[in-house]
């Protein structure tokens, strides 16, 4: 099963992707994690990505597409995957469609976690506090200033991605304001409604 999870920062994509991954036995592919990992390697493109991520800006499509295309060829992605944080621009969504078509494949579901933007600040702050309580460093981009820029990037670049999938009748909206268990159940119901699920 090939699933795309859309939603603003703090919508709960990572939480639900982990649950879907366990339930369906397919990998959780987070472009944010891939890019943070690339940044740690210290390569020039990794360091460029780090500067953009830490400032709350998007990494250029070409860089992200290169990383995703390589990852989708790994053996564990052959049976499907959950894409979290990708596609984030219409250009990425179009490129993903071309990649899939080349392999005679299609997405099974595009799930959009819808949340009130006013809830995002407290959710992201809770994530930073939880990291601190667990003795981990919070993500460099989990602060109020950077979050505002990430939300803007979402509204400008990623909201049109929802429209892109809605226009081709592939979008399944899910209420992301409910509890994680309720969101999980709503996602399972949305997947069950799909003929290919
Ligand atoms: P969140 O959804 O909470 O913003 P992510 O881990 O998905 O967290 O993304 C963190 C950052 O990584 C983004 O703000 C952006 O800079 C970069 N990033 C992740 N995925 C993409 C993508 N598909 N295209 C461009 N930049 C990306």
């Amino acid at each position: 099963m090939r699933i795309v999870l859309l939603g603003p920062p703090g919508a709960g994509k990572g939480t639900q992707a982990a649950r879907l991954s366990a339930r369906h036995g397919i990998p959780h592919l987070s472009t944010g994690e891939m890019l943070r990992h690339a940044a740690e390697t210290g390569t020039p493109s990794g360091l460029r990505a780090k500067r953009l991520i830490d400032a709350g800006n998007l990494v250029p499509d070409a860089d992200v597409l290169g990383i995703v295309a390589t990852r989708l060829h790994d053996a564990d992605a052959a049976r499907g995957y959950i894409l979290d944080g990708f596609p984030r621009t219409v250009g990425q969504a179009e490129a993903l469609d071309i990649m899939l078509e080349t392999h005679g494949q299609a997405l099974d579901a595009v799930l959009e976690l819808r949340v009130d933007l006013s809830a995002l600040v407290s959710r992201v702050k809770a994530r930073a506090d939880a990291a601190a309580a667990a003795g981990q460093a919070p993500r460099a981009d989990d602060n109020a200033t950077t979050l505002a820029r990430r939300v803007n990037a979402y509204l400008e670049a990623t909201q049109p991605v929802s429209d892109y999938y809605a226009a081709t009748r592939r979008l399944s909206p899910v209420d992301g304001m409910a509890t994680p268990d309720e969101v999980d159940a709503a996602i399972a119901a949305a997947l069950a409604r799909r003929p290919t699920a």
Side-chain angles (χ1 to χ4, degrees):
M1 185 145 45
R2 295 178 197 87
I3 301 173
V4 163
L5 268 182
L6 295 176
K13 300 186 297 292
T15 303
Q16 296 302 328
R19 290 177 179 221
L20 281 166
S21 170
R23 194 178 316 135
H24 296 283
I26 48 179
H28 166 198
L29 307 184
S30 155
T31 45
E33 264 170 37
M34 291 180 210
L35 290 166
R36 282 189 287 278
H37 182 74
E40 277 166 22
T41 61
T43 59
S45 68
L47 292 174
R48 194 171 61 222
K50 180 171 167 45
R51 274 196 299 276
L52 290 165
I53 294 169
D54 289 356
N57 295 317
L58 294 185
V59 175
D61 283 358
D63 295 359
V64 178
L65 286 167
I67 290 177
V68 170
T70 306
R71 184 64 184 86
L72 293 188
H73 276 109
D74 287 350
D76 67 337
R79 285 184 49 250
Y81 40 78
I82 301 131
L83 286 170
D84 161 10
F86 177 92
R88 236 178 175 96
T89 65
V90 171
Q92 292 178 15
E94 289 170 345
L96 175 62
D97 272 346
I98 291 168
M99 271 188 247
L100 290 166
E101 276 167 28
T102 309
H103 294 94
Q105 298 171 342
L107 293 172
D108 293 286
V110 179
L111 303 162
E112 182 185 41
L113 295 181
R114 294 196 170 162
V115 289
D116 300 340
L117 294 184
S118 57
L120 300 180
V121 175
S122 56
R123 284 187 177 203
V124 169
K125 186 170 184 315
R127 179 160 72 194
D129 290 348
Q136 298 156 358
R139 275 171 44 177
D141 58 347
D142 271 354
N143 60 71
T145 318
T146 307
L147 177 64
R149 208 170 296 149
R150 284 156 63 201
V151 171
N152 274 342
Y154 173 79
L155 294 174
E156 279 176 24
T158 313
Q159 199 76 69
V161 175
S162 303
D163 302 336
Y164 174 81
Y165 287 119
T168 44
R169 303 178 64 78
R170 289 182 286 175
L171 189 72
S172 301
V174 173
D175 176 14
M177 293 302 288
T179 65
D181 283 347
E182 288 166 343
V183 176
D184 191 330
I187 286 177
L191 291 177
R193 278 197 297 273
R194 300 196 59 85
T196 48

